[in-house]
Amino acid sequence: MASAPKRRPPIRSFINVAAAILVTAAVLYVAFFPAGPLPALGPTFNPTTGAWTMAADAQVGNQALRLHGLQQPVSVLFEANGTAHITAQTDHDLFLATGYVHARFRLFQMDLMRRQGEGRLSEIVGKAALDTDRFELQLGLLRTAQAEWSQLSASDPSRDALIAYAQGVNDRINEAEAAHQLDAMFTLLGYQPKPWSPIDSLLIKGDMTQTLNFTDTPLVMALLNKSLGADLTSEWFPVLPPNQQAPYDPGPYPKASTAPIETMGQVTDAAAQSADALYQRLAALPAGLISQGGASNNWAVAGAKSVSGGALLAGDPHLHLTLPAIWFQLTMDSPSYHVAGVSLPGTPVVLIGHNQHIAWSLTDAQNQQTFFYSEKEDKAHPGMYFWNGAWQKYRTVSYEIPVLAGQATHLDVKLSIHGPVISERGQTTSVWWAGNLPSQDLGVLFRVGQAANYQQFRDALRDWHSPTHNFVYADDVGNIGLISAGYYPLVAHGQPWLPMPGTGEDDVTGTIPYDQIPQVYNPPDHIIWSANQRQVTASYPYYIGTASNFFDPGYRANEIHRVLSQPGKLSATDMQALQTDTRDFLAAEMVPALLASLSGEKLTSTEATAVDFLHSWDYRMETSSVAATIWWHYWGWYLTETFQPWWKSRGIGVDMGEVWDGLTQDLETWTLRDPNNRVFSAPGIGSRSAGDAERKSFHKLIGDLVKMYGPDPRTWTYGRAHQRVLENVAHVTGLNYGPRPDRGDGNTPLAAGGYPSTHGPSWRMVVDWGTHSFQGVYPGGQSENPASAWYTNRVDTWWSGLLDPMLSADMAAPAAGTKTWSLRP
Amino acid sequence: MRITVLVLSGVIVALLGVLLGAWWTPFFVGAAFGLLIHRPAVAIPLGTVSGLLAWLLPLAAAQLRYGLGPTSVSLAEIMGFDHQGALPVVLTLFVGTLLGLTGAWLACAFWMLVRPQPR
């Protein structure tokens, strides 16, 4: 008997299958692949291996770990606040363990920094970073790092240190991948870090050099020159500062062996157009790639002037305040290296700190290390430039830039004798940048950490090239010193503050001899200080940069010098207080001048109240101060009132904010010493004096403040006007700290320029060799994991101006809350 | 009894898979339910629950062991959801649930297509 024929499936079964396929495909797609802003949801939210592992990663407990490459057991002790104490029996193991510890807490930050330097950000974030990558590859951090690595001899200890450090980082990468504990940002961005190499550490050093020392100032000067004319440009933006400053090295100086500096000449239309094109390109790059002027403090007091009888040292480098911070605090102990302080994650040495005999800190020296050259080209000689009387062939280097969700981009970089070509719009412009000189700075820091006296410290710094830093020194027998170590390019001829012809006559020919760079040792007044000011007086025989945009206007240095030079002895507590000093030196000069200009002026009741606040002000930029708010806004109004008409009438293509520091020095000087300077009588304004401009600015200002803060001046507290924020390195604003009202401004030793302020004391350290007391703190925490208790645990201490003790491993061991890792081969 | 064993086995397999990093296991467990049980009204809820449990239990264990509050809030911030810490939890459980559900649904749908009821 034949079986009954099967019925064909009903149509709804087909519909059901189709719907199931569609929904399943959609679910599997978003589970396996990124979709728009969403990461691949499956691996990202997998509760055991996805981003949730940041909860486990946030825990730090006692652990026994095996690390590939170790020679002997290593101990790592963590204080309750996260400070790491690494104790090893060989230097190799010390650097390997340092690499492991850095990577354990900062791997994503390290990866971002090396990617920035090697031009590989587009690979993880897509086209948005392509301009940055192109620029970085043109500038050449990667080439420099590769050259530095290849020049390290096999017997150089820093070569071993870099190799061991990379091994430690890779141990952590392998461990984290095996245990699914890579930082959540890797999971969310959907990539895994490639192995670490010594060149990556050198790249990170290059990133810092670029941030501190690659400047567009010659382009800015060219644009100012074109619109203002050579005459006004040299008057407003002179080589030597117009205002009274406090250089730390008063001389006497040796005679220079180079030709004197030329006077300002007129920039041609073609040169100005090329400068403008390049200036616009650089201005469009993310913050941090172009140096915007440094802001750091350090000083020392000799034992003869200290309460304890021992030398005092204080240092607070001012950098972009990020979460995680740029620093990682640790002590490093091996048979030949005993150093405590802060290191840059990604590099194997302590940058700022102390050993058993000496302490040191640094500020940026700010001398000119970037020079632009217009290459002479000719259609008859394609691919060539004219130099030293002959046509030379450009060398070319090629790169492929991988781009997330896009095709890789090819980039050819041309190199002239001066350096990489970074613009071919209009004239071809190449850049000579000291950061491109191979410089074994990590080896220098290694030797600094081993120095036991000033001679060894100074000898070690002889090989430091870039960025130029003011290294302050204090030792355990009461000596102090300060040396602005680095490369000071000498230009044979020409106007180095402008783009120069690339035909050979204006080339960099060498550097100022080491013995003739700014430096002092045990000065007679027993104090030394630096705050990015010009280090030397007008009689220094070499050109080292212009007053505007290379060196700081000098108000922090003046205030520090004012406090240190007062009679009496100083203590570590005084050092701490000076680091958080909010007295605005410029305000102390200019507010009396404003009040004098207003005497006899008819004022409204609101204006009269504002004047009363200014009369009773101590010039401290405290959050509760009303006068601080008035001053802070007033100075902006006064600058604008004076210079904006010039900007408008001359069509100046440079943002006034770019040269704010230079204009501030001018306005201070002319208001106090040349009140009838022509600057106050701008085109269309008519003849007037500084006093006229001050009064007009004040009236406008008060109207403005009423609009912003209300009619009652008593409520105009500075905390309403001024805030600070610590920014997450991955630009996740929700993981920022703040904004929160904060004191200080750009002129106070407690640096807090900008609004909201994102720049400031990235580390504060105070050393008293008389009591063997070492203290320090940075804003943030040791971990980049936002779920960790060590993400922001130091912020409150830092914010309130306090310091934590910098303990040795032995001192830290008995404290409560410590954790220990036993690392074994 | 048979179905209880089946369900328990499915949940355990899905959970083990997730614990070993194979986050997609619930999809196949759901599909297995669909192929073995055939009845959508039973297989799909079982697949859904197994997916949910396979992703929920490790999460709950992490919560007990480490506390997931700061992690959850951080993930929400990174994803642009401000301080809405519950959202990553919901999203996570939703993914696990959907994997189990779609696996079971797809298997049942195909089963019904290739093995239609006789006339």
Side-chain angles (χ1 to χ4, degrees), chain A residues 16-17 45 48 52 54-55 734, chain B residues 18 27 55 71 77 79 92 105 109:
Chain A
N16 187 30
V17 165
F45 291 107
T48 51
W52 291 106
M54 77 162 71
Chain B
V18 171
F27 177 82
W55 279 51
T71 300
E77 296 284 13
M79 296 176 68
T92 299
W105 181 17

Side-chain angles (χ1 to χ4, degrees), chain A residues 563-582:
Chain A
V563 171
L564 294 180
S565 59
Q566 286 169 0
K569 296 198 170 188
L570 295 159
S571 67
T573 307
D574 296 325
M575 305 293 95
Q576 188 177 343
L578 183 51
Q579 283 183 331
T580 53
D581 184 344
T582 58

Side-chain angles (χ1 to χ4, degrees), chain A residues 126-374:
Chain A
K127 281 191 297 187
L130 203 46
D131 283 344
T132 301
D133 286 346
R134 283 197 190 104
F135 176 72
E136 291 299 311
L137 287 168
Q138 283 181 321
L139 185 60
L141 266 60
L142 180 58
R143 294 188 298 277
T144 305
Q146 289 166 337
E148 285 169 343
W149 177 242
S150 67
Q151 289 174 13
L152 266 179
S153 70
S155 60
D156 194 314
S158 54
R159 185 181 183 87
D160 295 336
L162 286 165
I163 291 172
Y165 182 87
Q167 172 74 59
V169 176
N170 290 328
D171 282 347
R172 172 55 190 168
I173 291 173
N174 294 335
E175 175 192 70
E177 286 179 349
H180 305 291
Q181 282 187 343
L182 280 174
D183 185 275
M185 290 305 294
F186 290 110
T187 310
L188 290 162
L189 290 170
Y191 80 99
Q192 295 199 315
K194 66 178 182 177
W196 195 264
S197 81
I199 289 173
D200 295 328
S201 295
L202 299 170
L203 272 169
I204 286 178
K205 184 211 74 167
D207 286 335
M208 284 298 288
T209 305
Q210 181 182 353
T211 297
L212 293 170
N213 227 326
F214 180 79
T215 176
D216 61 358
T217 296
L219 307 174
V220 171
M221 292 289 277
L223 296 177
L224 291 168
N225 178 301
K226 189 63 200 164
S227 45
L228 274 176
D231 182 27
L232 277 182
T233 305
S234 59
E235 183 184 334
W236 292 8
F237 305 100
V239 171
L240 298 173
N243 61 341
Q244 293 281 335
Q245 296 198 3
Y248 79 79
D249 178 4
Y253 310 115
K255 276 195 165 182
S257 54
T258 53
I261 302 162
E262 287 188 8
T263 53
M264 180 81 76
Q266 186 66 46
V267 169
T268 64
D269 285 343
Q273 284 164 11
S274 297
D276 187 44
L278 182 51
Y279 169 72
Q280 299 297 345
R281 181 190 175 199
L282 299 183
L285 293 172
L289 301 187
I290 310 296
S291 171
Q292 298 295 333
S296 304
N297 306 323
N298 64 23
W299 59 84
V301 176
K305 193 177 164 65
S306 86
V307 173
S308 69
L312 307 173
L313 179 142
D316 53 302
H318 305 170
L319 294 167
H320 184 197
L321 299 180
T322 57
L323 291 174
I326 191 75
W327 303 113
F328 186 89
Q329 189 181 348
L330 77 176
T331 65
M332 299 173 69
D333 284 292
S334 71
S336 72
Y337 196 65
H338 303 277
V339 179
V342 283
S343 58
L344 287 176
T347 64
V349 289
V350 165
L351 191 56
I352 298 173
H354 71 89
N355 61 23
Q356 306 103 314
H357 299 293
I358 75 164
W360 70 94
S361 185
L362 47 89
T363 65
D364 200 25
Q366 311 279 123
N367 65 298
Q368 183 173 356
Q369 290 204 312
T370 311
F371 300 84
F372 293 93
Y373 287 93
S374 297

Side-chain angles (χ1 to χ4, degrees), chain A residues 4-10 12-14 16-17 19-21 23-24 27-28 31-32 38-39 41-43 45-49 51-56 58-59 180-181 184-185 188 732-735 785-788, chain B residues 18-24 27 54-56 58-59 62 65-68 70-75 77-79 81 83 85 88-89 91-92 95 98-99 101-103 105-106 108-110 112-113 115-119:
Chain A
K6 285 184 180 173
R7 199 175 173 184
R8 291 178 65 191
R12 67 171 185 272
S13 293
F14 286 104
N16 187 30
V17 165
I21 290 172
V23 173
T24 301
V27 167
L28 293 182
F32 276 95
L38 286 177
L41 297 180
F45 291 107
N46 176 358
T48 51
T49 61
W52 291 106
T53 57
M54 77 162 71
Q59 317 297 316
H180 305 291
Q181 282 187 343
M185 290 305 294
L188 290 162
V732 179
T733 53
L735 298 180
N785 182 343
S788 166
Chain B
V18 171
L19 288 173
L20 292 171
W23 54 266
W24 33 262
F27 177 82
W55 279 51
L56 170 67
L59 209 58
R65 196 168 171 197
Y66 310 116
L68 291 179
T71 300
S72 192
V73 171
S74 300
L75 286 174
E77 296 284 13
I78 292 168
M79 296 176 68
F81 296 138
H83 274 68
V89 177
L91 197 54
T92 299
V95 173
L98 280 179
L99 286 172
L101 184 153
T102 51
W105 181 17
L106 190 66
C108 284
F110 269 110
M112 291 175 69
L113 192 67
R115 295 290 300 272
Q117 293 295 317
R119 189 186 292 266

Side-chain angles (χ1 to χ4, degrees), chain A residues 506-664:
Chain A
D506 300 344
D507 282 4
V508 173
T509 55
T511 178
I512 298 175
Y514 190 62
D515 291 340
Q516 298 181 20
I517 65 174
Q519 54 194 298
V520 294
Y521 181 61
N522 283 338
D525 53 358
H526 308 301
I527 55 171
I528 45 181
W529 65 97
S530 82
N532 316 106
Q533 84 277 28
R534 188 180 168 87
Q535 299 90 345
V536 286
T537 67
S539 60
Y540 189 67
Y542 296 101
Y543 169 79
I544 55 174
T546 59
S548 174
N549 273 32
F550 289 115
F551 298 101
D552 186 83
Y555 306 119
R556 283 178 295 113
N558 286 1
E559 174 65 12
I560 291 165
H561 178 242
R562 186 188 72 83
V563 171
L564 294 180
S565 59
Q566 286 169 0
K569 296 198 170 188
L570 295 159
S571 67
T573 307
D574 296 325
M575 305 293 95
Q576 188 177 343
L578 183 51
Q579 283 183 331
T580 53
D581 184 344
T582 58
R583 186 175 182 275
D584 186 319
F585 190 92
L586 180 65
E589 286 191 314
M590 303 311 301
V591 168
L594 167 65
L595 292 174
S597 79
L598 292 172
S599 72
E601 178 80 350
K602 190 176 177 187
L603 302 174
T604 66
S605 64
T606 306
E607 289 172 340
T609 307
V611 165
D612 288 342
F613 275 113
L614 290 174
H615 267 299
S616 59
W617 190 32
D618 59 2
Y619 312 118
R620 295 192 182 277
M621 305 297 288
E622 293 294 331
T623 52
S624 58
S625 170
V626 169
T629 306
I630 298 169
W631 156 252
W632 200 58
H633 286 283
Y634 164 73
W635 191 251
W637 267 112
Y638 187 33
L639 274 168
T640 304
E641 175 64 28
T642 306
F643 289 103
Q644 189 60 42
W646 291 95
W647 244 248
K648 195 173 170 187
S649 65
R650 299 292 177 105
I652 299 173
V654 175
D655 189 309
M656 246 175 77
E658 177 103 16
V659 288
W660 196 263
D661 283 350
L663 298 178
T664 289

Side-chain angles (χ1 to χ4, degrees), chain A residues 642-725:
Chain A
T642 306
F643 289 103
Q644 189 60 42
W646 291 95
W647 244 248
K648 195 173 170 187
S649 65
R650 299 292 177 105
I652 299 173
V654 175
D655 189 309
M656 246 175 77
E658 177 103 16
V659 288
W660 196 263
D661 283 350
L663 298 178
T664 289
Q665 293 174 65
D666 294 337
L667 198 53
E668 172 208 0
T669 306
W670 296 327
T671 303
L672 297 177
R673 288 188 281 281
D674 183 14
N676 292 312
N677 187 289
R678 61 176 162 169
V679 74
F680 298 110
S681 305
I685 296 291
S687 177
R688 67 176 181 177
S689 67
D692 297 329
E694 287 176 286
R695 283 186 287 276
K696 190 167 180 188
S697 304
F698 181 76
H699 291 308
K700 282 183 178 175
L701 159 78
I702 298 302
D704 200 35
L705 292 179
V706 167
K707 282 183 199 157
M708 284 195 289
Y709 304 118
D712 184 356
R714 289 169 299 183
T715 66
W716 299 350
T717 51
Y718 189 52
R720 293 178 66 195
H722 182 259
Q723 299 182 318
R724 194 196 285 276
V725 61

